[in-house]
Amino acid sequence: MASQQSKLVEEVNEHQLFNKGEHGEHTIKYKRQVAEIGYKNCCSCLEANNVCNCVMEVDANDDFAKGIVATTGSQEHPDANSSFTHSVINMIGMLIGLGQLSTPYALENGGWSSIFLLVGLGVICAYTSHVMGKCLKQSPKSRNYQDIGELAFGGKGRFVAAFFIYSEIFLALVSYTISLGDNLATIFHNKHIYITWMNISTRHLLTIMAVFISLPSLWLRDFSSISFLSSGGIIMSLMIFATVSWTAISWGAKANHRIPALQLQNIPGISGLYMFSYAGHVVFPDIYRAMKDPSKFTKVSITSFSIVIILYSSLAFMGAKMFGGGVSSQITLSMPPHLIATKIALWATVLTPMTKYALEFAPIAIQLENALPHFMSSRLKHAIRAAIGSFVLLSILFLALTIPYFQYVLGFTGSLISVGVCIILPSLFYIKISGSQISRATIALNVIFIVIGTLLGVFGTISSGKSLLRSISQA
């Protein structure tokens, strides 16, 4: 297909050399063939609902090509209809998640002054979101995070970006599954379930049951269903914040624990927890491409991160003041069990992972189906996708049951992977793509962010890794 298109393009160029200024029917015929072949080639639908992501380079003076664009919408994403408010909601929805549960624990262990680290990382991540928009603006062809990596460093950049993305997805789902098991065990703390031929704890059994209930969601091919699950996850996250806030208000007289000023020795360990709270850069290109006016993407980033920073900071102080040194790595596990708000928060925390599995696995599933041979039937591709998705989820379940140490797994993921996805790689890509067009001060600023991200990543990975290994060896 590509060679056929290239041959036709060469013929068009040769024809125009001999017929400069003329627009005969042969030229139109050739252009139509090139456009149709290119359009069919790039508009390979990813899912059964036939949503196509098609980008074509269009000559500004080419009326026929502009006509194709006007007819098919190939120059713009077909769903590029998100308003400013809708884009802010989408970005906040992707940022608020599992990380909010650990902010009180992180603040208590790092000291109240560690709030500056939480806020600072939020500001840096808002900036790197901004530079990702700049990179996307440079190349209309770039559709996702991997495309930005390829634009910057070719195939190697794409490989590195993909490695970080898929690693973050996998480890994040391990953390989600650990959280699922912890909160289910708290909900059914006085219940004991036994299966005669299985010598496993009630917590493990409940986790296995919940994961198997969620397993069919990975077989979905309809993006509207997956989007529905995503909306459910956002609602659950907001419910968690609301219930913790209500508990803090109703327990106002008891929320008087003293928070240490600074515990420097714990900063490397909690930096990964703070960093994971802002992990959402993988989907920011989708938000950018879906906007009616992408020029407002920076304002969307500033607004979204400002709201999330305020939410995280307030949640961190509320949890730390309510429970002090006894605060759990997941705030829901520390809340008074007899309160209705606690029960709502626990069930919201349980349902959040169950709605996240399909959404988080979707990028892997799309890439997998695209990598399969074209001669395979749609049904066979779907079966392979479902089988691999099931295997991945069962592997995640095994790891979650083997290393059930939420704060250390989450901190390890944030330090080793999220800091690269959210800080180091976006700044590095921006310098490479736009280095000749930006000032030295801007380059220096991005270099500083790369250094900060690298230091936090190295020391945070060492700290959380040691704690994780120590917990495993003690168990």
Side-chain angles (χ1 to χ4, degrees):
M1 182 69 73
S3 60
Q4 184 182 3
Q5 183 181 355
S6 176
K7 182 179 178 181
L8 284 168
V9 170
E10 290 176 2
E11 290 179 11
V12 169
N13 292 336
E14 183 180 353
H15 182 86
Q16 288 179 330
L17 284 175
F18 288 98
N19 299 276
K20 190 173 182 179
E22 296 180 9
H23 300 281
E25 60 179 4
H26 295 294
T27 302
I28 295 175
K29 178 182 177 182
Y30 277 123
K31 284 187 176 184
R32 185 178 299 276
Q33 287 176 321
V34 172
E36 289 176 352
I37 293 171
Y39 179 71
K40 290 177 182 178
N41 187 42
C42 69
C43 250
S44 56
C45 295
L46 301 180
E47 294 293 336
N49 58 0
N50 295 326
V51 176
C52 298
N53 295 327
C54 183
V55 179
M56 295 174 62
E57 289 187 83
V58 179
D59 186 347
N61 297 318
D62 192 336
D63 294 332
F64 175 78
K66 286 191 289 186
I68 290 291
V69 171
T71 303
T72 63
S74 59
Q75 181 69 9
E76 294 289 343
H77 193 285
D79 296 324
N81 56 4
S82 292
S83 64
F84 176 87
T85 303
H86 190 196
S87 300
V88 168
I89 292 172
N90 284 339
M91 186 171 286
I92 292 175
M94 291 309 304
L95 290 172
I96 297 177
L98 193 65
Q100 69 174 331
L101 300 179
S102 62
T103 51
Y105 171 86
L107 184 72
E108 168 63 30
N109 281 269
W112 63 261
S113 57
S114 70
I115 198 70
F116 294 108
L117 178 61
L118 176 63
V119 174
L121 288 174
V123 171
I124 293 174
C125 288
Y127 173 80
T128 54
S129 171
H130 156 73
V131 302
M132 286 181 67
K134 292 288 188 182
C135 293
L136 291 167
K137 186 178 179 181
Q138 288 279 355
S139 174
K141 286 185 177 181
S142 299
R143 311 297 299 176
N144 52 43
Y145 198 100
Q146 299 97 305
D147 289 344
I148 298 175
E150 185 173 14
L151 181 64
F153 295 102
K156 293 181 180 179
R158 187 177 191 86
F159 173 80
V160 170
F163 173 79
F164 271 84
I165 289 171
Y166 298 145
S167 298
E168 184 179 51
I169 291 172
F170 185 84
L171 291 174
L173 289 179
V174 172
S175 300
Y176 272 113
T177 308
I178 296 172
S179 173
L180 174 67
D182 290 343
N183 285 274
L184 277 173
T186 303
I187 292 172
F188 298 100
H189 69 281
N190 57 350
K191 303 290 191 301
H192 299 283
I193 304 174
Y194 297 102
I195 296 180
T196 54
W197 53 274
M198 293 180 68
N199 186 23
I200 60 175
S201 67
T202 300
R203 177 189 179 278
H204 284 184
L205 185 59
L206 289 170
T207 307
I208 292 170
M209 291 170 62
V211 169
F212 271 89
I213 290 172
S214 307
L215 189 60
S217 67
L218 269 68
W219 307 339
L220 293 174
R221 301 190 69 200
D222 184 5
F223 272 123
S224 61
S225 301
I226 296 176
S227 298
F228 175 77
L229 292 175
S230 173
S231 301
I234 294 171
I235 293 172
M236 294 301 106
S237 297
L238 293 176
M239 286 178 62
I240 293 169
F241 176 76
T243 51
V244 172
S245 301
W246 175 254
T247 304
I249 294 170
S250 60
W251 268 42
K254 300 181 181 181
N256 56 2
H257 289 275
R258 180 179 175 274
I259 305 173
L262 178 64
Q263 299 190 84
L264 192 60
Q265 71 278 10
N266 294 333
I267 293 298
I270 68 167
S271 64
L273 297 176
Y274 284 155
M275 190 67 251
F276 186 86
S277 301
Y278 297 113
H281 286 58
V282 171
V283 298
F284 289 172
D286 297 316
I287 295 175
Y288 177 92
R289 291 299 179 196
M291 291 182 65
K292 286 190 292 187
D293 185 4
S295 65
K296 294 182 179 179
F297 181 75
T298 297
K299 292 182 180 179
V300 169
S301 298
I302 294 172
T303 304
S304 302
F305 274 94
S306 297
I307 293 172
V308 169
I309 288 171
I310 293 171
L311 187 150
Y312 283 159
S313 301
S314 56
L315 185 65
F317 273 108
M318 282 190 294
K321 287 295 288 182
M322 275 195 294
F323 306 113
V327 66
S328 173
S329 59
Q330 300 174 66
I331 184 63
T332 52
L333 303 181
S334 295
M335 294 171 65
H338 63 279
L339 297 179
I340 295 178
T342 301
K343 293 179 173 60
I344 295 173
L346 287 170
W347 275 110
T349 309
V350 166
L351 293 174
T352 298
M354 298 177 71
T355 61
K356 288 283 186 179
Y357 288 128
L359 180 68
E360 295 283 349
F361 184 71
I364 301 176
I366 292 172
Q367 292 295 327
L368 175 63
E369 286 204 7
N370 288 342
L372 293 174
H374 295 294
F375 60 81
M376 284 188 177
S377 65
S378 177
R379 183 174 297 181
L380 180 58
K381 287 183 178 181
H382 185 211
I384 294 173
R385 165 183 167 170
I388 294 178
S390 302
F391 174 78
V392 170
L393 186 56
L394 293 177
S395 302
I396 289 168
L397 173 63
F398 174 78
L399 285 175
L401 297 178
T402 306
I403 48 174
Y405 310 108
F406 176 80
Q407 67 271 34
Y408 302 136
V409 174
L410 198 69
F412 184 79
T413 305
S415 297
L416 182 65
I417 304 297
S418 298
V419 73
V421 173
C422 301
I423 297 179
I424 299 174
L425 291 181
S427 294
L428 196 61
F429 293 160
Y430 182 53
I431 292 174
K432 178 64 175 177
I433 294 170
S434 304
S436 60
Q437 304 171 19
I438 56 180
S439 65
R440 291 184 179 180
T442 303
I443 294 176
L445 180 64
N446 281 271
V447 169
I448 291 172
F449 288 158
I450 291 171
V451 172
I452 292 173
T454 302
L455 291 175
L456 288 175
V458 170
F459 289 108
T461 300
I462 293 173
S463 176
S464 56
K466 283 183 177 180
S467 299
L468 185 59
L469 291 174
R470 184 166 56 249
S471 298
I472 293 173
S473 62
Q474 289 174 354

